[in-house]
Amino acid sequence: MKRAYMDHNATTPLRPEARAAVLRALDVLGNPSSIHAEGRAARALVEDARADVAALAGARTAEVIFTSGGTEAARLAFHSARVAQGVERLIVSAVEHDAVLASAEGAGLPVEIVPVDGNGRLDLTALKALLAGSEKRSLVALMLANNETGVLQPVAEAARLAHEIGASLLCDAVQAVGKVPVDFDLLGADMLMLGGHKIGAPLGVGALVVRNGLPFAPLAVGGGQEMRRRAGSENVSGIAGFGAAARAALAGLEEFARLTALRDRIEARIADMAPDAVFFGRDAERLPNTSYLSAPGLDAETLLMALDLDGVAVSAGAACSSGKIGRPRVLEAMGVEWDIARGAIRVSLGWSSEPEDVDRFVESWLRVYARLRGKTPATVSMNVTAGRRETPRLAALES
């Protein structure tokens, strides 16, 4: 039986358009830094992809620097902020991705954490106080969408507060781009992180968007690639795939928004059968594809194993910890008690998701829940099945 893949926030399947672009690029002979015809052909692939990625992020083509992914983009941003922009301290939200937190801590600057509210949204009052609390030049790091809860952050408001005192802002848009409209100018960010495999590009390619005119210092030196902002021969095939995926994601934003119906279907059915279930960030604006849920007494590791055996792939949050399940740091920042947090799992849908995936997940989750509550799994399964509605495939879902 086909497995139900519901971990798209970790990585989403390679889009057919990206696969085709990668294969075409592999047949192109030439180094994009060479001036002969073969080199110019490779350069054209890179620059066409740069334009497509820029369009997805609402940025200018010259502002896009290709990297190996979001993690490198974060490290590059903090390095440049310290070396070229004179940043003396970092202000980071409590719910940033581990890659951002680790990069901030490794930048050799003081790091201060901004708290969030019960829905996981940044406390703008606390940010304002932190910004005003020092005359040192600051960089604020704030993600656009949380990778675990899907909650959208007030990036434009934070950028305005930062700019009022001469600070700058780095926005991690890895989880948001391709799922909601992103406009670099409207966000007001000075730098923006992107990751290819979250939108259906191959693994190992991403970008840092840097506002025109912002002082910049490369981390990797040795060559003139990426307009002297990142040395090393470009990953032409990966970049070509990134560009194709960006083009497809931009064209499919309206269709992706319809995933809200499937996400809400998950939450409504579980809430009906498990009244003590909790859906984190439900009262805030979220990505259309993400649900982070738990119930008292559940254990995430046991639950993930049971779901995997049932052919359902989900996660316990971020997927960048080598398969480890630890304490959910994001939920701790939100003030969630351990008895609830310990059973939290993230369900994330994507461009290839189908209604059948949702039904399979709900039935499997409820079987575990029923065993915990001493109910018969057969009864739960029968009740869930009886509550189904015939639902067309994603492409035909009504908003």
PDB file of all heavy atoms in Angstrom, residues 354-373:
ATOM      1  N   GLU A 354      -2.698  14.227  -0.853  1.00  0.00           N
ATOM      2  CA  GLU A 354      -4.035  13.830  -1.294  1.00  0.00           C
ATOM      3  C   GLU A 354      -4.950  13.654  -0.078  1.00  0.00           C
ATOM      4  O   GLU A 354      -4.469  13.388   1.036  1.00  0.00           O
ATOM      5  CB  GLU A 354      -3.957  12.522  -2.075  1.00  0.00           C
ATOM      6  CG  GLU A 354      -3.088  12.597  -3.322  1.00  0.00           C
ATOM      7  CD  GLU A 354      -2.978  11.259  -4.038  1.00  0.00           C
ATOM      8  OE1 GLU A 354      -3.437  10.247  -3.452  1.00  0.00           O
ATOM      9  OE2 GLU A 354      -2.447  11.225  -5.153  1.00  0.00           O
ATOM     10  N   PRO A 355      -6.260  13.782  -0.261  1.00  0.00           N
ATOM     11  CA  PRO A 355      -7.186  13.584   0.856  1.00  0.00           C
ATOM     12  C   PRO A 355      -7.033  12.226   1.534  1.00  0.00           C
ATOM     13  O   PRO A 355      -7.238  12.104   2.744  1.00  0.00           O
ATOM     14  CB  PRO A 355      -8.562  13.732   0.194  1.00  0.00           C
ATOM     15  CG  PRO A 355      -8.316  14.612  -0.982  1.00  0.00           C
ATOM     16  CD  PRO A 355      -6.951  14.235  -1.481  1.00  0.00           C
ATOM     17  N   GLU A 356      -6.672  11.205   0.774  1.00  0.00           N
ATOM     18  CA  GLU A 356      -6.501   9.877   1.361  1.00  0.00           C
ATOM     19  C   GLU A 356      -5.386   9.853   2.402  1.00  0.00           C
ATOM     20  O   GLU A 356      -5.443   9.092   3.373  1.00  0.00           O
ATOM     21  CB  GLU A 356      -6.207   8.862   0.259  1.00  0.00           C
ATOM     22  CG  GLU A 356      -7.370   8.594  -0.694  1.00  0.00           C
ATOM     23  CD  GLU A 356      -7.527   9.678  -1.763  1.00  0.00           C
ATOM     24  OE1 GLU A 356      -6.650  10.580  -1.833  1.00  0.00           O
ATOM     25  OE2 GLU A 356      -8.531   9.643  -2.503  1.00  0.00           O
ATOM     26  N   ASP A 357      -4.369  10.686   2.207  1.00  0.00           N
ATOM     27  CA  ASP A 357      -3.297  10.774   3.193  1.00  0.00           C
ATOM     28  C   ASP A 357      -3.835  11.266   4.533  1.00  0.00           C
ATOM     29  O   ASP A 357      -3.462  10.764   5.599  1.00  0.00           O
ATOM     30  CB  ASP A 357      -2.205  11.730   2.710  1.00  0.00           C
ATOM     31  CG  ASP A 357      -1.555  11.291   1.416  1.00  0.00           C
ATOM     32  OD1 ASP A 357      -1.545  10.069   1.139  1.00  0.00           O
ATOM     33  OD2 ASP A 357      -1.052  12.160   0.683  1.00  0.00           O
ATOM     34  N   VAL A 358      -4.701  12.252   4.459  1.00  0.00           N
ATOM     35  CA  VAL A 358      -5.302  12.814   5.665  1.00  0.00           C
ATOM     36  C   VAL A 358      -6.111  11.759   6.415  1.00  0.00           C
ATOM     37  O   VAL A 358      -5.977  11.586   7.629  1.00  0.00           O
ATOM     38  CB  VAL A 358      -6.186  14.024   5.298  1.00  0.00           C
ATOM     39  CG1 VAL A 358      -7.075  14.430   6.468  1.00  0.00           C
ATOM     40  CG2 VAL A 358      -5.322  15.191   4.851  1.00  0.00           C
ATOM     41  N   ASP A 359      -6.958  11.036   5.691  1.00  0.00           N
ATOM     42  CA  ASP A 359      -7.798  10.020   6.333  1.00  0.00           C
ATOM     43  C   ASP A 359      -6.953   8.941   6.999  1.00  0.00           C
ATOM     44  O   ASP A 359      -7.242   8.492   8.114  1.00  0.00           O
ATOM     45  CB  ASP A 359      -8.729   9.378   5.299  1.00  0.00           C
ATOM     46  CG  ASP A 359      -9.730  10.370   4.728  1.00  0.00           C
ATOM     47  OD1 ASP A 359     -10.072  11.330   5.435  1.00  0.00           O
ATOM     48  OD2 ASP A 359     -10.154  10.186   3.580  1.00  0.00           O
ATOM     49  N   ARG A 360      -5.881   8.554   6.320  1.00  0.00           N
ATOM     50  CA  ARG A 360      -5.030   7.505   6.873  1.00  0.00           C
ATOM     51  C   ARG A 360      -4.331   7.976   8.149  1.00  0.00           C
ATOM     52  O   ARG A 360      -4.225   7.241   9.125  1.00  0.00           O
ATOM     53  CB  ARG A 360      -3.995   7.103   5.821  1.00  0.00           C
ATOM     54  CG  ARG A 360      -3.247   5.822   6.159  1.00  0.00           C
ATOM     55  CD  ARG A 360      -2.535   5.345   4.916  1.00  0.00           C
ATOM     56  NE  ARG A 360      -1.697   4.196   5.172  1.00  0.00           N
ATOM     57  CZ  ARG A 360      -0.908   3.652   4.270  1.00  0.00           C
ATOM     58  NH1 ARG A 360      -0.864   4.165   3.051  1.00  0.00           N
ATOM     59  NH2 ARG A 360      -0.159   2.613   4.571  1.00  0.00           N
ATOM     60  N   PHE A 361      -3.849   9.219   8.128  1.00  0.00           N
ATOM     61  CA  PHE A 361      -3.211   9.744   9.329  1.00  0.00           C
ATOM     62  C   PHE A 361      -4.183   9.823  10.496  1.00  0.00           C
ATOM     63  O   PHE A 361      -3.868   9.408  11.624  1.00  0.00           O
ATOM     64  CB  PHE A 361      -2.623  11.138   9.067  1.00  0.00           C
ATOM     65  CG  PHE A 361      -2.305  11.876  10.341  1.00  0.00           C
ATOM     66  CD1 PHE A 361      -1.208  11.505  11.113  1.00  0.00           C
ATOM     67  CD2 PHE A 361      -3.127  12.893  10.793  1.00  0.00           C
ATOM     68  CE1 PHE A 361      -0.935  12.155  12.311  1.00  0.00           C
ATOM     69  CE2 PHE A 361      -2.866  13.551  11.981  1.00  0.00           C
ATOM     70  CZ  PHE A 361      -1.760  13.182  12.741  1.00  0.00           C
ATOM     71  N   VAL A 362      -5.370  10.374  10.245  1.00  0.00           N
ATOM     72  CA  VAL A 362      -6.349  10.546  11.325  1.00  0.00           C
ATOM     73  C   VAL A 362      -6.701   9.201  11.948  1.00  0.00           C
ATOM     74  O   VAL A 362      -6.737   9.049  13.176  1.00  0.00           O
ATOM     75  CB  VAL A 362      -7.607  11.260  10.797  1.00  0.00           C
ATOM     76  CG1 VAL A 362      -8.728  11.220  11.846  1.00  0.00           C
ATOM     77  CG2 VAL A 362      -7.288  12.703  10.432  1.00  0.00           C
ATOM     78  N   GLU A 363      -6.957   8.202  11.127  1.00  0.00           N
ATOM     79  CA  GLU A 363      -7.303   6.882  11.654  1.00  0.00           C
ATOM     80  C   GLU A 363      -6.160   6.306  12.489  1.00  0.00           C
ATOM     81  O   GLU A 363      -6.376   5.745  13.567  1.00  0.00           O
ATOM     82  CB  GLU A 363      -7.657   5.938  10.507  1.00  0.00           C
ATOM     83  CG  GLU A 363      -8.975   6.262   9.833  1.00  0.00           C
ATOM     84  CD  GLU A 363      -9.368   5.211   8.805  1.00  0.00           C
ATOM     85  OE1 GLU A 363      -8.769   4.115   8.826  1.00  0.00           O
ATOM     86  OE2 GLU A 363     -10.255   5.485   7.997  1.00  0.00           O
ATOM     87  N   SER A 364      -4.945   6.453  12.015  1.00  0.00           N
ATOM     88  CA  SER A 364      -3.801   5.905  12.723  1.00  0.00           C
ATOM     89  C   SER A 364      -3.577   6.629  14.045  1.00  0.00           C
ATOM     90  O   SER A 364      -3.354   5.997  15.084  1.00  0.00           O
ATOM     91  CB  SER A 364      -2.550   6.007  11.835  1.00  0.00           C
ATOM     92  OG  SER A 364      -1.447   5.379  12.447  1.00  0.00           O
ATOM     93  N   TRP A 365      -3.625   7.950  14.024  1.00  0.00           N
ATOM     94  CA  TRP A 365      -3.442   8.722  15.266  1.00  0.00           C
ATOM     95  C   TRP A 365      -4.507   8.362  16.287  1.00  0.00           C
ATOM     96  O   TRP A 365      -4.210   8.176  17.475  1.00  0.00           O
ATOM     97  CB  TRP A 365      -3.488  10.217  14.954  1.00  0.00           C
ATOM     98  CG  TRP A 365      -3.091  11.111  16.106  1.00  0.00           C
ATOM     99  CD1 TRP A 365      -1.845  11.608  16.368  1.00  0.00           C
ATOM    100  CD2 TRP A 365      -3.939  11.611  17.145  1.00  0.00           C
ATOM    101  NE1 TRP A 365      -1.866  12.387  17.495  1.00  0.00           N
ATOM    102  CE2 TRP A 365      -3.130  12.408  17.998  1.00  0.00           C
ATOM    103  CE3 TRP A 365      -5.290  11.471  17.439  1.00  0.00           C
ATOM    104  CZ2 TRP A 365      -3.638  13.065  19.123  1.00  0.00           C
ATOM    105  CZ3 TRP A 365      -5.799  12.111  18.569  1.00  0.00           C
ATOM    106  CH2 TRP A 365      -4.988  12.896  19.395  1.00  0.00           C
ATOM    107  N   LEU A 366      -5.734   8.246  15.821  1.00  0.00           N
ATOM    108  CA  LEU A 366      -6.827   7.949  16.749  1.00  0.00           C
ATOM    109  C   LEU A 366      -6.736   6.527  17.304  1.00  0.00           C
ATOM    110  O   LEU A 366      -7.195   6.273  18.426  1.00  0.00           O
ATOM    111  CB  LEU A 366      -8.183   8.168  16.064  1.00  0.00           C
ATOM    112  CG  LEU A 366      -8.575   9.638  15.862  1.00  0.00           C
ATOM    113  CD1 LEU A 366      -9.833   9.740  15.020  1.00  0.00           C
ATOM    114  CD2 LEU A 366      -8.776  10.336  17.209  1.00  0.00           C
ATOM    115  N   ARG A 367      -6.155   5.602  16.569  1.00  0.00           N
ATOM    116  CA  ARG A 367      -5.978   4.253  17.113  1.00  0.00           C
ATOM    117  C   ARG A 367      -5.039   4.273  18.323  1.00  0.00           C
ATOM    118  O   ARG A 367      -5.298   3.621  19.340  1.00  0.00           O
ATOM    119  CB  ARG A 367      -5.438   3.312  16.028  1.00  0.00           C
ATOM    120  CG  ARG A 367      -6.510   2.706  15.143  1.00  0.00           C
ATOM    121  CD  ARG A 367      -5.967   1.511  14.367  1.00  0.00           C
ATOM    122  NE  ARG A 367      -4.987   1.917  13.364  1.00  0.00           N
ATOM    123  CZ  ARG A 367      -5.309   2.257  12.121  1.00  0.00           C
ATOM    124  NH1 ARG A 367      -6.578   2.238  11.740  1.00  0.00           N
ATOM    125  NH2 ARG A 367      -4.364   2.597  11.254  1.00  0.00           N
ATOM    126  N   VAL A 368      -3.956   5.042  18.198  1.00  0.00           N
ATOM    127  CA  VAL A 368      -3.040   5.165  19.333  1.00  0.00           C
ATOM    128  C   VAL A 368      -3.731   5.856  20.495  1.00  0.00           C
ATOM    129  O   VAL A 368      -3.620   5.438  21.654  1.00  0.00           O
ATOM    130  CB  VAL A 368      -1.769   5.930  18.929  1.00  0.00           C
ATOM    131  CG1 VAL A 368      -0.837   6.096  20.119  1.00  0.00           C
ATOM    132  CG2 VAL A 368      -1.059   5.215  17.788  1.00  0.00           C
ATOM    133  N   TYR A 369      -4.448   6.915  20.201  1.00  0.00           N
ATOM    134  CA  TYR A 369      -5.183   7.653  21.225  1.00  0.00           C
ATOM    135  C   TYR A 369      -6.203   6.757  21.912  1.00  0.00           C
ATOM    136  O   TYR A 369      -6.362   6.787  23.135  1.00  0.00           O
ATOM    137  CB  TYR A 369      -5.870   8.852  20.565  1.00  0.00           C
ATOM    138  CG  TYR A 369      -6.749   9.663  21.490  1.00  0.00           C
ATOM    139  CD1 TYR A 369      -6.211  10.673  22.276  1.00  0.00           C
ATOM    140  CD2 TYR A 369      -8.128   9.432  21.559  1.00  0.00           C
ATOM    141  CE1 TYR A 369      -7.018  11.430  23.115  1.00  0.00           C
ATOM    142  CE2 TYR A 369      -8.934  10.181  22.390  1.00  0.00           C
ATOM    143  CZ  TYR A 369      -8.379  11.178  23.170  1.00  0.00           C
ATOM    144  OH  TYR A 369      -9.184  11.916  24.005  1.00  0.00           O
ATOM    145  N   ALA A 370      -6.889   5.934  21.135  1.00  0.00           N
ATOM    146  CA  ALA A 370      -7.916   5.052  21.696  1.00  0.00           C
ATOM    147  C   ALA A 370      -7.306   4.023  22.642  1.00  0.00           C
ATOM    148  O   ALA A 370      -7.869   3.730  23.703  1.00  0.00           O
ATOM    149  CB  ALA A 370      -8.669   4.349  20.564  1.00  0.00           C
ATOM    150  N   ARG A 371      -6.164   3.468  22.255  1.00  0.00           N
ATOM    151  CA  ARG A 371      -5.504   2.499  23.136  1.00  0.00           C
ATOM    152  C   ARG A 371      -5.133   3.142  24.466  1.00  0.00           C
ATOM    153  O   ARG A 371      -5.265   2.536  25.529  1.00  0.00           O
ATOM    154  CB  ARG A 371      -4.258   1.926  22.459  1.00  0.00           C
ATOM    155  CG  ARG A 371      -4.564   0.948  21.331  1.00  0.00           C
ATOM    156  CD  ARG A 371      -3.346   0.102  20.979  1.00  0.00           C
ATOM    157  NE  ARG A 371      -2.244   0.901  20.459  1.00  0.00           N
ATOM    158  CZ  ARG A 371      -2.053   1.161  19.169  1.00  0.00           C
ATOM    159  NH1 ARG A 371      -2.920   0.707  18.271  1.00  0.00           N
ATOM    160  NH2 ARG A 371      -1.024   1.873  18.778  1.00  0.00           N
ATOM    161  N   LEU A 372      -4.692   4.365  24.407  1.00  0.00           N
ATOM    162  CA  LEU A 372      -4.315   5.084  25.616  1.00  0.00           C
ATOM    163  C   LEU A 372      -5.530   5.332  26.508  1.00  0.00           C
ATOM    164  O   LEU A 372      -5.442   5.280  27.732  1.00  0.00           O
ATOM    165  CB  LEU A 372      -3.664   6.418  25.251  1.00  0.00           C
ATOM    166  CG  LEU A 372      -3.163   7.276  26.417  1.00  0.00           C
ATOM    167  CD1 LEU A 372      -1.976   6.606  27.087  1.00  0.00           C
ATOM    168  CD2 LEU A 372      -2.780   8.668  25.930  1.00  0.00           C
ATOM    169  N   ARG A 373      -6.673   5.559  25.879  1.00  0.00           N
ATOM    170  CA  ARG A 373      -7.892   5.860  26.641  1.00  0.00           C
ATOM    171  C   ARG A 373      -8.705   4.606  26.975  1.00  0.00           C
ATOM    172  O   ARG A 373      -9.785   4.706  27.554  1.00  0.00           O
ATOM    173  CB  ARG A 373      -8.784   6.840  25.843  1.00  0.00           C
ATOM    174  CG  ARG A 373      -8.135   8.207  25.605  1.00  0.00           C
ATOM    175  CD  ARG A 373      -7.912   8.950  26.921  1.00  0.00           C
ATOM    176  NE  ARG A 373      -7.441  10.302  26.702  1.00  0.00           N
ATOM    177  CZ  ARG A 373      -6.164  10.645  26.614  1.00  0.00           C
ATOM    178  NH1 ARG A 373      -5.231   9.711  26.715  1.00  0.00           N
ATOM    179  NH2 ARG A 373      -5.807  11.897  26.428  1.00  0.00           N
TER     180      ARG A 373
END
